[in-house]
Amino acid sequence: MAQIKNFRFEELLDKHHLKKTGARLRVLSMMYSKNTATSQPDLESVMSDIDRVTLYRILNVFEEKGIIHKVFDLNGTANYAVCHADCGENHHHDEHLHFNCTNCKNVYCLDELHMPRLNLPEGFKADSFTLYASGLCPKCSKKNASSVN
Amino acid sequence: MAQIKNFRFEELLDKHHLKKTGARLRVLSMMYSKNTATSQPDLESVMSDIDRVTLYRILNVFEEKGIIHKVFDLNGTANYAVCHADCGENHHHDEHLHFNCTNCKNVYCLDELHMPRLNLPEGFKADSFTLYASGLCPKCSKKNASSVN
DNA sequence: TTATAAATGCAACATAATTACATTTAGATT
DNA sequence: AATCTAAATGTAATTATGTTGCATTTATAA
C-alpha cells in the first residue's frame, strides 16, 4: 500500500474524468500511503504551497466521486480516508468501524468490522451507516502502559 | 416526556451539584421536550437573550456530568441529546443509533437500537461506541413521497 | 446578612469551511 | 506546435463553530 505508483493515481483520476494535476496526485499519494484518515488541516501542514481552498475542493470532489469517504473526528473536523469498498459517484458503502484515538487523534478505518443488519423503526429510511468508536489505538495504548504520561 | 415538571430539572441539577440557574433550567426544559438532538446554534436561535458562551458552557458541563451526550451531525456540528442510559460523571453509555435526516437535518436517538458486541483488532482499546446512520426520517420520507420536492 | 465559589457576560481570538471572482492550466482541437 | 476552453487553482473576504481570559453578577452555604 505504501508503494503505490504514480501512474495508478493517474489512471484513477482519468477514470473519474478529473484532470491530472500535481496537487491531486500529491493528495492521493499522501492519503494512500497512510493507514489513517486525513483532514484539510493535515494536508495544509504538509503541502503549504497548495492553497487551502484548493485542498478543500480536492477533498470534496474526491468524496463526490467515491474515491474517499468522510468521517468526523472527536473535534468535529472532517477527515477523509480512501474507500476500499465499491463506492461510486455520490454513493458510498463504507459501512465499517471508524476508530478515533483520544490520544494521538488519528482516525483508523477498520474495514474488517462492518455494520450488522439493523431493523430501523417504522418510517426511517437509511441510505448510509457508520460505526464509530473512540479510545486508544495500538501505538498509544502501548505507550500508556509503559510510561505514565 | 413533553410534560416534565420544572422541579424535576431542579432535582437533576442538585444531584450533580450544579446551581439552579434560569439558563440551565431553560436548556433542560427545551432538550427534554424534543425527541431530537440540540446544538448551540439551535439554543441560541431560541434563547437569544442568553450569551453564546454561556450556552456552550452549559452544554459542556451537562455532558461532563452525564446528563446529555454529544453527537456530530452531517455538517460536523456538535449536537446534544438527553441520556437515557445510566450515564455518569465523564462516563457515557449511549451506545445506540444516531439517525441524521439528510432533509430536515434533525438527529434522532434511536435508543432501542444499540451496539452489538465487537471484537476489535489487537491493540485497540475502545471506551465508547456509536452507531450512526443518515437518510430520511419518518416525517421527511412521508413528505417526499407525496410532493416531488 | 454576608461571604464566596460558581455562573454568566463580554470581548477577543481561533479554527474550519465556504463563496465570489480573477487567473492559470490540462488537455482537446485544429 | 499553436490555440482554445472548460476545468482547476489562487486570492480575498466572509461565515460558522467553538474557545479563552477576565470582569461582573448571583446562587447558596455559613
Side-chain angles (χ1 to χ4, degrees):
Chain A
M1 195 106 87
Q3 283 295 72
I4 289 178
K5 303 294 193 305
N6 223 36
F7 68 83
R8 288 266 297 155
F9 298 138
E10 300 199 350
E11 276 173 22
L12 186 58
L13 292 175
D14 261 344
K15 179 177 143 192
H16 291 286
H17 311 294
L18 297 172
K19 290 187 181 175
K20 290 163 243 169
T21 66
R24 286 176 176 170
L25 289 169
R26 285 165 68 192
V27 169
L28 283 178
S29 171
M30 168 161 171
M31 296 194 71
Y32 272 87
S33 71
K34 306 200 311 174
N35 66 340
T36 56
T38 309
S39 65
Q40 182 279 336
D42 292 339
L43 292 173
E44 195 181 349
S45 71
V46 175
M47 309 177 190
S48 52
D49 55 317
I50 302 175
D51 191 81
R52 305 174 50 258
V53 181
T54 300
L55 295 174
Y56 276 115
R57 285 194 277 231
I58 288 174
L59 291 171
N60 285 336
V61 73
F62 283 2
E63 197 205 4
E64 279 167 24
K65 296 293 187 178
I67 299 172
I68 61 180
H69 61 277
K70 172 157 69 173
V71 52
F72 291 106
D73 64 21
L74 290 166
N75 304 315
T77 305
N79 280 247
Y80 297 87
V82 299
C83 293
H84 293 301
D86 58 331
C87 300
E89 200 89 9
N90 289 308
H91 215 273
H92 283 269
H93 306 282
D94 308 281
E95 311 192 338
H96 52 259
L97 177 66
H98 292 106
F99 189 97
N100 200 165
C101 181
T102 52
N103 187 243
C104 67
K105 315 301 180 195
N106 278 327
V107 175
Y108 298 79
C109 285
L110 303 181
D111 298 77
E112 61 273 34
L113 293 178
H114 41 61
M115 285 290 299
R117 263 285 130 250
L118 286 177
N119 290 321
L120 291 175
E122 188 67 20
F124 288 94
K125 306 239 193 288
D127 48 45
S128 100
F129 285 96
T130 304
L131 262 167
Y132 195 85
S134 62
L136 291 176
C137 73
K139 279 183 201 164
C140 293
S141 62
K142 198 173 279 182
K143 264 185 225 156
N144 277 33
S146 42
S147 75
V148 193
N149 177 23
Chain B
M1 196 107 86
Q3 284 295 72
I4 289 178
K5 302 294 193 309
N6 225 36
F7 69 82
R8 287 267 296 156
F9 298 139
E10 301 198 351
E11 275 174 21
L12 186 58
L13 292 176
D14 261 344
K15 179 177 142 193
H16 291 287
H17 312 295
L18 297 172
K19 290 188 179 172
K20 291 163 247 169
T21 67
R24 284 174 177 170
L25 289 169
R26 285 165 67 193
V27 170
L28 282 177
S29 172
M30 169 161 170
M31 297 193 71
Y32 271 88
S33 72
K34 307 199 311 171
N35 65 340
T36 54
T38 308
S39 64
Q40 183 279 335
D42 292 340
L43 292 172
E44 196 182 349
S45 71
V46 175
M47 309 178 191
S48 52
D49 55 315
I50 303 174
D51 192 81
R52 295 168 10 77
V53 181
T54 300
L55 295 174
Y56 277 114
R57 285 194 277 230
I58 288 175
L59 291 171
N60 285 336
V61 74
F62 284 1
E63 196 205 3
E64 280 167 25
K65 296 295 188 177
I67 298 172
I68 60 180
H69 61 278
K70 173 157 67 173
V71 52
F72 291 106
D73 65 19
L74 291 166
N75 305 313
T77 305
N79 280 247
Y80 297 86
V82 299
C83 293
H84 293 301
D86 58 330
C87 301
E89 200 89 9
N90 290 308
H91 215 273
H92 283 268
H93 305 284
D94 307 282
E95 311 191 338
H96 52 259
L97 178 66
H98 292 105
F99 189 97
N100 201 165
C101 180
T102 52
N103 186 243
C104 68
K105 315 300 180 196
N106 277 328
V107 176
Y108 298 79
C109 286
L110 303 182
D111 299 76
E112 61 272 35
L113 294 177
H114 42 62
M115 285 292 300
R117 263 286 131 251
L118 287 176
N119 290 320
L120 292 175
E122 187 68 21
F124 288 94
K125 305 240 195 285
D127 48 45
S128 100
F129 285 96
T130 303
L131 261 167
Y132 198 85
S134 62
L136 290 177
C137 73
K139 278 182 203 165
C140 293
S141 61
K142 199 174 279 183
K143 264 185 227 155
N144 277 33
S146 42
S147 75
V148 193
N149 177 25

